[in-house]
Amino acid sequence: MSAKLLLGKPVAESICQSVNLQTQDIDSKLCLIGFNEPRWIQYSTSLVKSAAKYGFECDNIVVDDGISCEEMFKLVDEASLRHDVCGVMLQQPLDKHFKSAVEHVAECKDVDCLNPMSVCKLYCGDKGFRPATPLAVLLLLDYYGIELKGKNVVIVGRGSAVGKPLALMMLERNATVTVCHTKTVDLPAICKRADIVVSACGVAGLITSEFVTEKSIVIDVGLSFVDGKTCGDVSAEVYEKCAAVSPVPGGVGPVTRAALFTNLLKAAKGDM
């Protein structure tokens, strides 16, 4: 038996077409702010290219290394006040001196869901933006017709970027959610009882065949680099045992960007 592959490309393409149709009469921009660091420059440049596909313009602001906290905060404030900008994204992670810059992103333009008020709305279940990667997991499941209501879900990973927000978002969908981590006792047995296992630890090969059954649906959100190759948390043997699995690369990753532009569309339309 080989698992059904939950590929992200068709999901992202479907979302892109939908968003593009709705942006034809919208003249708005995504504003990116970050330092001249290779990883951020690579990511922000790719976002600029992607924005055009989704029907948005994009301003990519590269700040000087010698910028002060006050200057950085002012820059973010100014971007948030611009009428032609519907979304503001800051480089992540930022140096500890600049971490509070996310508090200066206007809540109505916080498409990356980093402002404490955005996080609070997520926690309270209020209407607002949802973080792109957890949202991508839900969009992937929706596309493949995988229902969450009443399902037993185990999330392996308690990070603030994926594990914690995803748990809250799945509870909104009426799933029964257990959050585990690498220190959880008897982790394989807990995962084996789940209908859906989501791993977001960044530990290559963590999820083995011991963690799943023939009915398990496995979503891999982990990202590691082993011998120069990109890999996820799920080992190759799982692909031969479970019912369905999202691969790395090619699973949740492509949908994450689509989720970001879904948030941007909501911001442009004022539909928070």
Side-chain angles (χ1 to χ4, degrees), residues 128-141:
F129 296 118
R130 299 298 185 248
T133 301
L135 179 57
V137 172
L138 299 187
L139 291 170
L140 186 77
L141 292 171

Side-chain angles (χ1 to χ4, degrees), residues 66-136:
I67 193 172
S68 68
C69 290
E70 291 74 19
E71 290 171 327
M72 180 68 159
F73 299 158
K74 183 180 178 182
L75 181 63
V76 179
D77 285 334
E78 289 173 348
S80 292
L81 289 170
R82 283 174 54 182
H83 295 297
D84 63 330
V85 169
C86 60
V88 178
M89 271 188 70
L90 304 185
Q91 174 183 339
Q92 293 296 312
L94 282 171
D95 184 86
K96 63 180 180 179
H97 302 296
F98 300 106
K99 274 189 175 181
S100 58
V102 296
E103 298 175 19
H104 292 257
V105 177
E107 186 188 336
C108 62
K109 299 183 181 183
D110 184 25
V111 293
D112 214 18
C113 198
L114 294 173
N115 184 302
M117 286 304 299
S118 299
V119 177
C120 183
K121 282 191 171 184
L122 168 60
Y123 180 82
C124 294
D126 294 339
K127 189 177 181 181
F129 296 118
R130 299 298 185 248
T133 301
L135 179 57

Side-chain angles (χ1 to χ4, degrees), residues 188-244:
I190 295 172
C191 289
K192 211 163 189 173
R193 293 195 293 268
D195 300 302
I196 301 170
V197 176
V198 182
S199 188
C201 285
V203 179
L206 173 68
I207 307 299
T208 67
S209 60
E210 295 180 67
F211 290 67
V212 301
T213 70
E214 290 75 10
K215 295 181 179 180
S216 300
I217 295 168
V218 182
I219 307 297
D220 193 351
V221 195
L223 185 63
S224 302
F225 298 94
V226 178
D227 298 329
K229 295 182 179 180
T230 303
C231 60
D233 291 351
V234 179
S235 64
E237 63 197 64
V238 172
Y239 286 66
E240 300 301 319
K241 184 176 181 181
C242 69

Side-chain angles (χ1 to χ4, degrees), residues 179-197:
V179 179
C180 300
H181 43 82
T182 55
K183 302 295 189 295
T184 298
V185 176
D186 207 4
L187 183 58
I190 295 172
C191 289
K192 211 163 189 173
R193 293 195 293 268
D195 300 302
I196 301 170
V197 176

